[in-house]
Amino acid sequence: MNKYNLELEQAEFGKNGLASKSGWIKTYIAHPETGEFIGSTMEHILFDVSVSAGAYIDVPELPKESGLAVVRSQNKKVWNIVADHRGSTAYNTENRQASVVNFIGELPDTLTLSVPQTEFDQWNGAAWVTDIDAQNATAIAEAGNKKSGLLREANEKIAYLQDAVDIDVATDEENTALTEWKKYRVQLNRIDVTTSPDIDWPMQPE
């Protein structure tokens, strides 16, 4: 009988989690904060001693798909496969604010990976829905502001050109420009801002 043994002496464990036989065993390590599986190692365990903290002897099942992580259960008894959205951009369902996910597990109800398409989108519990009334009201307000600004600019231009005509010092170019600016102002005044954003804005005279 050979007095030498090339095999590692394998540790054995009782139901109490302590070694009933000293030896080597492969352990699987969980991150101390997140509980995520981070690797395996060989440990030499003495009789009546447990494996080191954060190490477990049951083999974790590895996920077959991306977007999943292996973590130790909260009661430390089993490995679980859970959602892993880390590095993805999530959106706050209340204010559409974007943030990068930095935690393991399902997203809370206040976050979604679905991307809002407009600043008027609201979360209905399952998807983003655009508030058409708010979108239209904003478009009308913006068109009204644009119309007012363009009319103000036209009025200033016309006032200057009209002064030149009134005191009989206008050049031919200024007379022509006055007519064009007045036509332009009429076109602006005829614009119905409630049709925004379907407005065909007139071309401003050069």
Side-chain angles (χ1 to χ4, degrees):
M1 182 176 180
N2 197 327
K3 62 180 179 180
Y4 300 109
N5 183 7
L6 297 178
E7 299 299 323
L8 290 174
E9 192 71 25
Q10 298 294 312
E12 296 179 5
F13 286 81
K15 293 182 179 180
N16 60 1
L18 302 179
S20 57
K21 176 184 176 184
S22 63
W24 290 92
I25 193 167
K26 188 174 185 179
T27 60
Y28 303 88
I29 314 301
H31 189 281
E33 294 179 2
T34 65
E36 182 180 15
F37 170 62
I38 56 176
S40 59
T41 188
M42 294 297 294
E43 288 192 38
H44 187 267
I45 310 297
L46 298 176
F47 173 75
D48 211 29
V49 175
S50 66
V51 295
S52 57
Y56 305 92
I57 61 175
D58 56 314
V59 183
E61 178 184 354
L62 301 183
K64 298 179 176 61
E65 304 172 9
S66 60
L68 299 171
V70 179
V71 297
R72 199 68 180 174
S73 62
Q74 288 189 344
N75 62 11
K76 313 297 184 184
K77 292 184 177 181
V78 295
W79 294 104
N80 289 327
I81 295 178
V82 300
D84 183 11
H85 301 296
R86 287 174 297 178
S88 299
T89 300
Y91 299 86
N92 189 294
T93 55
E94 296 177 355
N95 57 26
R96 300 180 301 278
Q97 282 280 344
S99 61
V100 178
V101 180
N102 60 2
F103 58 87
I104 301 173
E106 295 292 346
L107 298 179
D109 292 340
T110 54
L111 292 177
T112 177
L113 297 179
S114 179
V115 184
Q117 299 302 307
T118 76
E119 62 180 303
F120 304 98
D121 283 11
Q122 295 182 346
W123 186 251
N124 69 359
W128 293 108
V129 177
T130 302
D131 186 338
I132 301 299
D133 290 340
Q135 189 177 44
N136 288 341
T138 299
I140 291 171
E142 290 176 347
N145 290 336
K146 180 176 180 179
K147 179 179 177 178
S148 297
L150 292 174
L151 280 171
R152 184 165 52 251
E153 185 179 357
N155 289 334
E156 292 173 356
K157 200 76 173 180
I158 289 169
Y160 161 75
L161 293 170
Q162 190 66 57
D163 284 347
V165 171
D166 290 346
I167 62 175
D168 201 25
V169 296
T171 64
D172 291 342
E173 290 80 6
E174 287 173 330
N175 276 307
T176 300
L178 178 61
T179 300
E180 293 302 314
W181 276 98
K182 285 184 174 181
K183 288 180 181 179
Y184 172 68
R185 184 169 63 179
V186 169
Q187 292 172 325
L188 280 178
N189 276 308
R190 288 176 175 172
I191 287 177
D192 180 5
V193 296
T194 63
T195 63
S196 181
D198 299 320
I199 295 177
D200 185 14
W201 294 96
M203 185 71 69
Q204 192 177 73
E206 296 182 359

